[in-house]
């Protein structure tokens, strides 16, 4: 077969056209490292066996990030089903296996204790764990994270209501490098707040022990620099515990903490000399939310 290269005709197979199937593994790894997991899944992994094997290399599986994928789609009530959780668990377990213990970052939603315990036992180098909206992640798997992942630096357990303040104690005692904690809750029910896609019975289980969590954070996590506790039920007493215990805080998000007032926040945070950014509650909030039923359940009025 002849093609024109602009300077005349050459034959395919003459040596002038590269044979991609013969690229060295080192070259493949260099190229694939510039792609996301998703890009590798829908591209190189489907080309040939050698390319698929290269995609399984542990060096390409140190980060598992599905958060960008979740953000690219409208939130769905179907994400809260056991079937969807099984799919996420399967993906996470497969990346854990491919990493051969080298996984350092996990950003995922709707996983369960099954896959997270699996990751905790096999990935001691884990530094970042973002498990937002995981109703079936509990203290059981968080205990394994606390005991096995001592290098943890960032933890986001926002909207994961199966995790209680007991986990905070274990994490604070064992993960001395933890600098970022995100424990944001979903807005409580009211008529004018943004739409939230989540089962009604789950929304009703939001943690009500804001002051207990705040006291534990202040006592066991003095190294924190970044703390987000949106819509927590903590009062001035809880905020005072945080500010006294976490004196190195640089970032504090108190959005939606409606049990606080301006005076409470000013008084408690005055001791935080390194505080650079703070988000305060809206002191004239709207008061509502559009609720969605669990799939297959009748809408509750």
């Amino acid at each position: 077969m002849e093609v024109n290269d602009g300077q005349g005709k050459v034959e395919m197979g003459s040596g002038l056209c590269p044979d991609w199937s013969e690229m060295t593994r080192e070259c493949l790894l260099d190229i694939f490292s510039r792609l996301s997991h998703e890009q590798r899944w829908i591209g190189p992994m489907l080309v040939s066996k050698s390319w698929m094997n290269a995609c399984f290399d542990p060096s390409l599986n140190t980060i598992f990030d599905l958060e960008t994928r979740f953000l690219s789609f409208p939130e769905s009530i179907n994400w809260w089903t056991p079937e969807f959780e099984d799919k996420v668990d399967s993906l996470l377990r497969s990346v854990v296996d491919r990493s051969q213990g080298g996984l350092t970052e996990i950003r995922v939603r709707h996983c369960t204790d099954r896959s997270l315990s699996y990751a905790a036992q096999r990935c001691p180098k884990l530094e970042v764990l973002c498990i937002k909206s995981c109703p079936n992640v509990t203290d059981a798997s968080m205990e394994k994270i606390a005991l096995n992942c001592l290098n943890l630096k960032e933890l986001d357990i926002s909207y994961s209501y199966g995790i209680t303040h007991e986990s905070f104690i274990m994490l604070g005692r064992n993960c001395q490098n933890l600098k970022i904690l995100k424990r944001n809750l979903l807005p409580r029910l009211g008529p004018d707040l943004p739409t939230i896609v989540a089962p009604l019975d789950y929304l009703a289980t939001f943690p009500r022990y804001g002051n207990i969590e705040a006291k534990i954070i202040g006592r066991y996590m003095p190294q924190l620099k970044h703390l987000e506790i949106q819509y927590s039920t903590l009062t001035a007493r809880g905020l005072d515990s945080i500010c006294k215990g976490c004196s190195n805080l640089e970032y504090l998000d108190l959005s939606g903490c409606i049990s606080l007032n301006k005076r409470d926040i000013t008084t408690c945070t005055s001791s935080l000399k390194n505080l650079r950014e703070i988000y305060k509650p809206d002191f004239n909030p709207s008061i509502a939310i559009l609720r969605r039923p669990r799939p297959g359940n009748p809408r509750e009025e």
Side-chain angles (χ1 to χ4, degrees), residues 36-37 40-41 58-69 91-109 111 115-116 119-120 122-131 145 149 151-156 180 182:
S36 67
H37 269 99
R40 293 199 291 271
W41 290 337
S59 67
L60 297 181
N61 291 277
T62 59
I63 295 175
F64 180 51
D65 184 359
L66 284 185
E67 180 62 14
T68 51
R69 181 68 171 171
L91 283 173
L92 178 52
R93 288 171 65 97
S94 68
V95 174
V96 168
D97 289 339
R98 294 175 198 168
S99 75
Q100 297 182 13
L103 197 60
T104 61
E105 184 174 327
I106 296 173
R107 297 184 186 273
V108 71
R109 302 188 192 186
C111 67
S115 60
L116 193 58
R122 290 162 176 78
C123 302
K125 298 179 181 180
L126 192 66
E127 297 180 359
V128 177
L129 179 61
C130 174
I131 44 171
I145 291 290
C149 304
N151 294 323
L152 197 65
K153 298 177 181 178
E154 178 179 344
L155 176 65
D156 188 347
I180 299 174
K182 301 178 183 181

Side-chain angles (χ1 to χ4, degrees), residues 12-219:
M12 292 289 288
S14 64
L16 298 179
C17 296
D19 185 348
W20 293 92
S21 66
E22 295 183 0
M23 292 185 68
T24 65
R25 186 177 181 87
E26 290 72 21
C27 288
L28 289 175
L29 293 178
D30 181 58
I31 294 171
F32 295 167
S33 68
R34 306 168 196 272
L35 305 177
S36 67
H37 269 99
E38 183 180 358
Q39 289 171 329
R40 293 199 291 271
W41 290 337
I42 63 177
M45 285 183 65
L46 305 178
V47 172
S48 67
K49 186 174 181 179
S50 63
W51 283 34
M52 181 178 69
N53 290 337
C55 289
F56 286 174
D57 192 272
S59 67
L60 297 181
N61 291 277
T62 59
I63 295 175
F64 180 51
D65 184 359
L66 284 185
E67 180 62 14
T68 51
R69 181 68 171 171
F70 278 108
L71 291 174
S72 65
F73 288 92
E75 291 194 16
S76 170
I77 196 69
N78 293 322
W79 293 353
W80 298 80
T81 63
E83 294 78 14
F84 188 76
E85 288 180 336
D86 286 344
K87 293 178 181 179
V88 175
D89 277 350
S90 178
L91 283 173
L92 178 52
R93 288 171 65 97
S94 68
V95 174
V96 168
D97 289 339
R98 294 175 198 168
S99 75
Q100 297 182 13
L103 197 60
T104 61
E105 184 174 327
I106 296 173
R107 297 184 186 273
V108 71
R109 302 188 192 186
H110 299 285
C111 67
T112 73
D113 276 343
R114 295 187 300 272
S115 60
L116 193 58
S117 294
Y118 190 79
Q121 292 167 349
R122 290 162 176 78
C123 302
K125 298 179 181 180
L126 192 66
E127 297 180 359
V128 177
L129 179 61
C130 174
I131 44 171
K132 296 163 62 174
S133 301
C134 294
N136 289 308
V137 168
T138 70
D139 294 337
S141 59
M142 294 309 297
E143 179 179 11
K144 292 182 175 67
I145 291 290
L147 294 176
N148 298 321
C149 304
L150 305 184
N151 294 323
L152 197 65
K153 298 177 181 178
E154 178 179 344
L155 176 65
D156 188 347
I157 52 173
S158 298
Y159 326 130
S160 295
Y161 295 171
I163 301 171
T164 75
H165 56 275
E166 296 294 337
S167 290
F168 292 17
I169 298 175
M170 295 183 289
L171 290 161
R173 283 175 172 169
N174 292 282
C175 302
Q176 298 296 312
N177 294 319
L178 190 64
K179 298 294 191 296
I180 299 174
L181 175 64
K182 301 178 183 181
R183 170 60 159 180
N184 299 315
L185 307 181
L186 294 165
R188 281 165 284 169
L189 305 180
D192 295 319
L193 291 176
T195 300
I196 292 177
V197 179
L200 288 178
D201 53 352
Y202 185 71
L203 292 175
T205 65
F206 76 92
R208 294 172 170 81
Y209 303 104
N211 279 344
I212 294 177
E213 292 185 355
K215 183 177 180 180
I216 293 171
I217 290 171
R219 179 176 179 182

Side-chain angles (χ1 to χ4, degrees), residues 3 77 109 136 141 225 236 239 261 264 301:
V3 296
I77 196 69
R109 302 188 192 186
N136 289 308
S141 59
K225 292 186 177 182
L239 181 58
N261 58 46
D264 294 335
E301 301 295 339

